[in-house]
Amino acid sequence: MTSIDPVRLPATPGTAARLGIDDPARLLAVRDTGLLDTDPEQIFDGLTELAASVLNAPYALVTLVDDRRSFWKSRSGVADPELMQSAIEDSFCQYVVSSGQPLIVGDAATDPLTAGNPAISQLGVAAWAGFPLRSAQGHTLGTFCVVDTRVREWTGREVEILRVLADAANREISLRQSMADAELANAKLSLLVEAGQLLAETTDLPVSLERLTHLVVPLLGDWCVISVVDEDGHLADRGWWHHDEASRELVSRFVGNRLVGLNEDGATNRARLSKRPVIVESGALEAGLAVLRSPEARAAYQQLAPVSYAVFPMTAGNRVNGVLAILRDGSRPPMTPVAIEVASGVAQRAGLALENARLFEAQRVAVEHLAMANARIVATAKHDRIVARALQDALLPNLIDSDELELSARYLTADGADQVGGDFYDVIVTDGGATSLVIGDVSGHDIGAAAEMGRITNMLRAMLWQQPEGSPAEVLAQLDRAMRDFDVRTMSTAALVHIEGPNGTGHRAVRWSNAGHLPPMLVQSDGTVRALTGRPDRPLAVDPRGARHDHQDVMPVDATLLVYTDGLVETPQRDVDTGLEQLRQYLQAHCGDPLESLVDGVLSELIADQPTDDVAVVALRLRQ
């Protein structure tokens, strides 16, 4: 007998069959997987083929269920390539989606829940077993199921095998969603940078505002309107955009008439007067119609049918120079806190642009002033969408040797199925020869840790590129604040070492700051090994308000700097102090080895065949 006791639904056609299926949040989660109406993929086909083989079933499916059909993303055993979905009324998946629980049916024709399902006669379904696939928020997306054309009793072992394979499919979907979330966060950070550059570099400010709407939509909303305070203190619409070409004429009509007799109780005036964002998460259509007076504007707004909106004042100091309104229809949820934070940053930059134009009266002078102000806005690398096998390589940098420096790095992930980790490192060499070397460790060694690591390294890389000569303590403090503002709450350790450019002596000045990380090791050519200690500060994401400290030393010619994560020195069989001493002794004995051999030897000496924690090691050597 099976070990599953699935939730049973009443077998009332048309009632229980829709229970949970039409939930808007669930349907949105299904759509956001990006899997509907896509071609088969080996990662899912491999799982269904394995399920069909091991369970001796003619068919195995990975399905995504929306409000009208069960789409077969993977369909092992289905010979007809055109057969890729079934109506929801004909699908056994409807019962799993309705209940959110597994369904194990040995005889579909006699089971009270499934006896009347058309798939029994049309497709020959005699037995069915399936587990739900779920989003990170717990919404049931579809099923991982096997289908048999003969009546059978599913054994407990068979059900457990099916559950394990369903978990594997779920992990793949979760990975993709995690990567999509990371990409979206990076895209929003990039939007801040692009918006700042656009407003700083374009000589025609009205044109800049119009182009700004194209950056905001569709990333932050379905359509938007930018209004500017004119010399008389009245609002005038200066830019708008809709992602749907068919709706742009409606927006144009709305914008052309909406300010006529506009009620001062509306969100636009409230944001302007309060100097704070006004967020409406539902009922946007009713709220807008309540304050619009122009019949033309009301008619257009009613056809546009927004469900939520957010209105942001474009400020400079205490002065409001305009308002940015971002609206969403029913296909998207209200703006998240991260999206609101980004939109506020965009509005603030637009407010600064307008303020400069007002103060200097010459747009070119205003743009040049903005360029100076926005020169410190960082650029962030775009996070490529990848699967777990390639995730780590994509997130870690390529090292390039120079005439003055030799670099070597290794990364090993902990023993486990995810094959990704939260350790990170980066090396940036400026044109002047200065080098910034960073090593860090995000809590955890799974897909979530890797996604957070990607966000942190993108932000840190941009900061180091922007201020390569900056104080390591200031850079880490800025990173800590950025993690807070962009809601990166995962605790992380990091050590940032800045090696000054050549000074003619062969020696280099070294500055570093340590956020709760293990100390870098400085290895001189005579075998002297010195830990760059200094008092370590708190890890990142603990308290971004506290002070951080710089420390200084000197790095002789032919010396080697080694940074590493705790997986190198701490294992279940060895404490940190013992590991650090073992590392020191090895570096002392092998200080003259070629750099690549030294790094490989360190790993061989301190790590077994497979590390129990993620390990990152980076070595830098000064050439003569």
Side-chain angles (χ1 to χ4, degrees), residues 411 423-424 439-441 493 517-518 563-570 613-617:
Y411 193 100
D423 291 4
F424 61 91
I439 189 84
D441 184 358
T493 66
H517 200 77
L518 292 171
V563 294
Y564 50 93
T565 55
D566 58 359
L568 179 68
V569 294
E570 184 179 20
D613 193 4
D614 307 326
V615 178
V617 179

PDB file of all heavy atoms in Angstrom, residues 411 423-424 439-441 493 517-518 563-570 613-617:
ATOM      1  N   TYR A 411      38.115  27.768  -7.132  1.00  0.00           N
ATOM      2  CA  TYR A 411      36.823  27.753  -6.437  1.00  0.00           C
ATOM      3  C   TYR A 411      36.301  26.325  -6.414  1.00  0.00           C
ATOM      4  O   TYR A 411      36.187  25.671  -7.450  1.00  0.00           O
ATOM      5  CB  TYR A 411      35.809  28.657  -7.142  1.00  0.00           C
ATOM      6  CG  TYR A 411      34.586  28.920  -6.307  1.00  0.00           C
ATOM      7  CD1 TYR A 411      34.449  30.109  -5.602  1.00  0.00           C
ATOM      8  CD2 TYR A 411      33.579  27.971  -6.185  1.00  0.00           C
ATOM      9  CE1 TYR A 411      33.346  30.344  -4.808  1.00  0.00           C
ATOM     10  CE2 TYR A 411      32.476  28.193  -5.389  1.00  0.00           C
ATOM     11  CZ  TYR A 411      32.363  29.382  -4.703  1.00  0.00           C
ATOM     12  OH  TYR A 411      31.271  29.600  -3.914  1.00  0.00           O
ATOM     13  N   ASP A 423      30.430  31.617  -1.666  1.00  0.00           N
ATOM     14  CA  ASP A 423      31.722  32.297  -1.582  1.00  0.00           C
ATOM     15  C   ASP A 423      31.942  33.146  -2.835  1.00  0.00           C
ATOM     16  O   ASP A 423      31.433  32.820  -3.913  1.00  0.00           O
ATOM     17  CB  ASP A 423      32.844  31.277  -1.465  1.00  0.00           C
ATOM     18  CG  ASP A 423      32.820  30.547  -0.120  1.00  0.00           C
ATOM     19  OD1 ASP A 423      31.892  30.798   0.664  1.00  0.00           O
ATOM     20  OD2 ASP A 423      33.720  29.735   0.125  1.00  0.00           O
ATOM     21  N   PHE A 424      32.688  34.229  -2.705  1.00  0.00           N
ATOM     22  CA  PHE A 424      32.936  35.068  -3.874  1.00  0.00           C
ATOM     23  C   PHE A 424      34.307  35.731  -3.746  1.00  0.00           C
ATOM     24  O   PHE A 424      34.869  35.844  -2.663  1.00  0.00           O
ATOM     25  CB  PHE A 424      31.853  36.144  -4.025  1.00  0.00           C
ATOM     26  CG  PHE A 424      31.740  37.109  -2.871  1.00  0.00           C
ATOM     27  CD1 PHE A 424      32.462  38.301  -2.860  1.00  0.00           C
ATOM     28  CD2 PHE A 424      30.904  36.846  -1.799  1.00  0.00           C
ATOM     29  CE1 PHE A 424      32.346  39.196  -1.813  1.00  0.00           C
ATOM     30  CE2 PHE A 424      30.778  37.736  -0.736  1.00  0.00           C
ATOM     31  CZ  PHE A 424      31.506  38.908  -0.751  1.00  0.00           C
ATOM     32  N   ILE A 439      37.616  39.102  -1.081  1.00  0.00           N
ATOM     33  CA  ILE A 439      37.177  37.724  -0.852  1.00  0.00           C
ATOM     34  C   ILE A 439      36.025  37.780   0.135  1.00  0.00           C
ATOM     35  O   ILE A 439      35.996  38.645   1.022  1.00  0.00           O
ATOM     36  CB  ILE A 439      38.338  36.854  -0.294  1.00  0.00           C
ATOM     37  CG1 ILE A 439      37.964  35.375  -0.266  1.00  0.00           C
ATOM     38  CG2 ILE A 439      38.776  37.322   1.075  1.00  0.00           C
ATOM     39  CD1 ILE A 439      38.175  34.681  -1.565  1.00  0.00           C
ATOM     40  N   GLY A 440      35.037  36.918  -0.023  1.00  0.00           N
ATOM     41  CA  GLY A 440      33.902  36.956   0.889  1.00  0.00           C
ATOM     42  C   GLY A 440      33.156  35.646   0.916  1.00  0.00           C
ATOM     43  O   GLY A 440      33.377  34.744   0.115  1.00  0.00           O
ATOM     44  N   ASP A 441      32.220  35.568   1.864  1.00  0.00           N
ATOM     45  CA  ASP A 441      31.473  34.328   2.089  1.00  0.00           C
ATOM     46  C   ASP A 441      30.062  34.695   2.520  1.00  0.00           C
ATOM     47  O   ASP A 441      29.850  35.254   3.594  1.00  0.00           O
ATOM     48  CB  ASP A 441      32.181  33.497   3.171  1.00  0.00           C
ATOM     49  CG  ASP A 441      31.506  32.146   3.385  1.00  0.00           C
ATOM     50  OD1 ASP A 441      30.487  31.884   2.735  1.00  0.00           O
ATOM     51  OD2 ASP A 441      32.013  31.363   4.208  1.00  0.00           O
ATOM     52  N   THR A 493      30.553  37.685   5.230  1.00  0.00           N
ATOM     53  CA  THR A 493      31.864  38.208   5.628  1.00  0.00           C
ATOM     54  C   THR A 493      32.602  38.641   4.367  1.00  0.00           C
ATOM     55  O   THR A 493      32.314  38.183   3.270  1.00  0.00           O
ATOM     56  CB  THR A 493      32.688  37.159   6.374  1.00  0.00           C
ATOM     57  OG1 THR A 493      33.005  36.089   5.470  1.00  0.00           O
ATOM     58  CG2 THR A 493      31.918  36.608   7.567  1.00  0.00           C
ATOM     59  N   HIS A 517      35.965  38.533   8.333  1.00  0.00           N
ATOM     60  CA  HIS A 517      36.528  37.456   7.528  1.00  0.00           C
ATOM     61  C   HIS A 517      37.878  37.004   8.112  1.00  0.00           C
ATOM     62  O   HIS A 517      38.472  37.695   8.935  1.00  0.00           O
ATOM     63  CB  HIS A 517      36.713  37.932   6.080  1.00  0.00           C
ATOM     64  CG  HIS A 517      36.816  36.824   5.093  1.00  0.00           C
ATOM     65  ND1 HIS A 517      35.720  36.122   4.665  1.00  0.00           N
ATOM     66  CD2 HIS A 517      37.884  36.287   4.446  1.00  0.00           C
ATOM     67  CE1 HIS A 517      36.104  35.206   3.795  1.00  0.00           C
ATOM     68  NE2 HIS A 517      37.416  35.283   3.646  1.00  0.00           N
ATOM     69  N   LEU A 518      38.344  35.839   7.657  1.00  0.00           N
ATOM     70  CA  LEU A 518      39.661  35.354   8.079  1.00  0.00           C
ATOM     71  C   LEU A 518      40.764  36.238   7.489  1.00  0.00           C
ATOM     72  O   LEU A 518      40.611  36.785   6.398  1.00  0.00           O
ATOM     73  CB  LEU A 518      39.849  33.913   7.617  1.00  0.00           C
ATOM     74  CG  LEU A 518      38.939  32.889   8.316  1.00  0.00           C
ATOM     75  CD1 LEU A 518      39.046  31.538   7.641  1.00  0.00           C
ATOM     76  CD2 LEU A 518      39.291  32.778   9.795  1.00  0.00           C
ATOM     77  N   VAL A 563      44.392  35.149  -0.165  1.00  0.00           N
ATOM     78  CA  VAL A 563      43.118  35.304   0.537  1.00  0.00           C
ATOM     79  C   VAL A 563      42.297  34.044   0.299  1.00  0.00           C
ATOM     80  O   VAL A 563      42.458  33.367  -0.722  1.00  0.00           O
ATOM     81  CB  VAL A 563      42.358  36.556   0.057  1.00  0.00           C
ATOM     82  CG1 VAL A 563      43.104  37.821   0.434  1.00  0.00           C
ATOM     83  CG2 VAL A 563      42.098  36.524  -1.447  1.00  0.00           C
ATOM     84  N   TYR A 564      41.360  33.749   1.217  1.00  0.00           N
ATOM     85  CA  TYR A 564      40.698  32.447   1.189  1.00  0.00           C
ATOM     86  C   TYR A 564      39.434  32.539   2.032  1.00  0.00           C
ATOM     87  O   TYR A 564      39.238  33.485   2.815  1.00  0.00           O
ATOM     88  CB  TYR A 564      41.628  31.372   1.754  1.00  0.00           C
ATOM     89  CG  TYR A 564      42.214  31.781   3.091  1.00  0.00           C
ATOM     90  CD1 TYR A 564      41.602  31.420   4.288  1.00  0.00           C
ATOM     91  CD2 TYR A 564      43.353  32.601   3.156  1.00  0.00           C
ATOM     92  CE1 TYR A 564      42.112  31.837   5.507  1.00  0.00           C
ATOM     93  CE2 TYR A 564      43.868  33.020   4.363  1.00  0.00           C
ATOM     94  CZ  TYR A 564      43.248  32.643   5.542  1.00  0.00           C
ATOM     95  OH  TYR A 564      43.736  33.062   6.736  1.00  0.00           O
ATOM     96  N   THR A 565      38.556  31.554   1.879  1.00  0.00           N
ATOM     97  CA  THR A 565      37.361  31.462   2.712  1.00  0.00           C
ATOM     98  C   THR A 565      37.529  30.359   3.734  1.00  0.00           C
ATOM     99  O   THR A 565      38.449  29.539   3.663  1.00  0.00           O
ATOM    100  CB  THR A 565      36.117  31.208   1.846  1.00  0.00           C
ATOM    101  OG1 THR A 565      36.324  30.047   1.038  1.00  0.00           O
ATOM    102  CG2 THR A 565      35.835  32.405   0.942  1.00  0.00           C
ATOM    103  N   ASP A 566      36.623  30.321   4.715  1.00  0.00           N
ATOM    104  CA  ASP A 566      36.824  29.444   5.861  1.00  0.00           C
ATOM    105  C   ASP A 566      36.771  27.966   5.509  1.00  0.00           C
ATOM    106  O   ASP A 566      37.263  27.123   6.258  1.00  0.00           O
ATOM    107  CB  ASP A 566      35.823  29.753   6.973  1.00  0.00           C
ATOM    108  CG  ASP A 566      34.380  29.628   6.517  1.00  0.00           C
ATOM    109  OD1 ASP A 566      34.149  29.313   5.333  1.00  0.00           O
ATOM    110  OD2 ASP A 566      33.472  29.843   7.339  1.00  0.00           O
ATOM    111  N   GLY A 567      36.178  27.609   4.347  1.00  0.00           N
ATOM    112  CA  GLY A 567      36.148  26.208   3.955  1.00  0.00           C
ATOM    113  C   GLY A 567      37.534  25.626   3.750  1.00  0.00           C
ATOM    114  O   GLY A 567      37.706  24.400   3.786  1.00  0.00           O
ATOM    115  N   LEU A 568      38.546  26.479   3.536  1.00  0.00           N
ATOM    116  CA  LEU A 568      39.908  25.992   3.351  1.00  0.00           C
ATOM    117  C   LEU A 568      40.515  25.498   4.656  1.00  0.00           C
ATOM    118  O   LEU A 568      41.250  24.506   4.670  1.00  0.00           O
ATOM    119  CB  LEU A 568      40.786  27.100   2.753  1.00  0.00           C
ATOM    120  CG  LEU A 568      42.255  26.746   2.521  1.00  0.00           C
ATOM    121  CD1 LEU A 568      42.377  25.695   1.418  1.00  0.00           C
ATOM    122  CD2 LEU A 568      43.068  27.996   2.185  1.00  0.00           C
ATOM    123  N   VAL A 569      40.228  26.183   5.753  1.00  0.00           N
ATOM    124  CA  VAL A 569      40.941  25.891   7.001  1.00  0.00           C
ATOM    125  C   VAL A 569      40.075  25.225   8.065  1.00  0.00           C
ATOM    126  O   VAL A 569      40.605  24.649   9.014  1.00  0.00           O
ATOM    127  CB  VAL A 569      41.560  27.193   7.570  1.00  0.00           C
ATOM    128  CG1 VAL A 569      42.638  27.720   6.643  1.00  0.00           C
ATOM    129  CG2 VAL A 569      40.499  28.261   7.805  1.00  0.00           C
ATOM    130  N   GLU A 570      38.761  25.300   7.911  1.00  0.00           N
ATOM    131  CA  GLU A 570      37.883  24.727   8.934  1.00  0.00           C
ATOM    132  C   GLU A 570      37.097  23.569   8.343  1.00  0.00           C
ATOM    133  O   GLU A 570      36.414  23.717   7.330  1.00  0.00           O
ATOM    134  CB  GLU A 570      36.916  25.782   9.470  1.00  0.00           C
ATOM    135  CG  GLU A 570      36.038  25.271  10.598  1.00  0.00           C
ATOM    136  CD  GLU A 570      35.108  26.344  11.141  1.00  0.00           C
ATOM    137  OE1 GLU A 570      34.864  27.333  10.420  1.00  0.00           O
ATOM    138  OE2 GLU A 570      34.624  26.194  12.274  1.00  0.00           O
ATOM    139  N   ASP A 613      32.607  22.325   2.721  1.00  0.00           N
ATOM    140  CA  ASP A 613      32.104  23.693   2.620  1.00  0.00           C
ATOM    141  C   ASP A 613      32.702  24.300   1.350  1.00  0.00           C
ATOM    142  O   ASP A 613      33.709  23.822   0.825  1.00  0.00           O
ATOM    143  CB  ASP A 613      32.503  24.507   3.858  1.00  0.00           C
ATOM    144  CG  ASP A 613      31.736  25.825   3.945  1.00  0.00           C
ATOM    145  OD1 ASP A 613      30.846  26.055   3.098  1.00  0.00           O
ATOM    146  OD2 ASP A 613      32.034  26.622   4.845  1.00  0.00           O
ATOM    147  N   ASP A 614      32.060  25.353   0.850  1.00  0.00           N
ATOM    148  CA  ASP A 614      32.607  26.033  -0.317  1.00  0.00           C
ATOM    149  C   ASP A 614      34.001  26.582   0.009  1.00  0.00           C
ATOM    150  O   ASP A 614      34.262  27.023   1.133  1.00  0.00           O
ATOM    151  CB  ASP A 614      31.701  27.202  -0.730  1.00  0.00           C
ATOM    152  CG  ASP A 614      30.262  26.768  -0.912  1.00  0.00           C
ATOM    153  OD1 ASP A 614      30.060  25.623  -1.353  1.00  0.00           O
ATOM    154  OD2 ASP A 614      29.363  27.557  -0.599  1.00  0.00           O
ATOM    155  N   VAL A 615      34.887  26.566  -0.978  1.00  0.00           N
ATOM    156  CA  VAL A 615      36.262  27.036  -0.788  1.00  0.00           C
ATOM    157  C   VAL A 615      36.618  27.960  -1.943  1.00  0.00           C
ATOM    158  O   VAL A 615      36.478  27.588  -3.112  1.00  0.00           O
ATOM    159  CB  VAL A 615      37.263  25.870  -0.745  1.00  0.00           C
ATOM    160  CG1 VAL A 615      38.691  26.407  -0.595  1.00  0.00           C
ATOM    161  CG2 VAL A 615      36.928  24.913   0.394  1.00  0.00           C
ATOM    162  N   ALA A 616      37.066  29.155  -1.613  1.00  0.00           N
ATOM    163  CA  ALA A 616      37.613  30.076  -2.612  1.00  0.00           C
ATOM    164  C   ALA A 616      39.017  30.464  -2.162  1.00  0.00           C
ATOM    165  O   ALA A 616      39.243  30.776  -0.987  1.00  0.00           O
ATOM    166  CB  ALA A 616      36.746  31.312  -2.758  1.00  0.00           C
ATOM    167  N   VAL A 617      39.982  30.433  -3.091  1.00  0.00           N
ATOM    168  CA  VAL A 617      41.365  30.812  -2.811  1.00  0.00           C
ATOM    169  C   VAL A 617      41.845  31.689  -3.958  1.00  0.00           C
ATOM    170  O   VAL A 617      41.671  31.340  -5.130  1.00  0.00           O
ATOM    171  CB  VAL A 617      42.284  29.582  -2.690  1.00  0.00           C
ATOM    172  CG1 VAL A 617      43.720  30.019  -2.430  1.00  0.00           C
ATOM    173  CG2 VAL A 617      41.808  28.656  -1.586  1.00  0.00           C
TER     174      VAL A 617
END
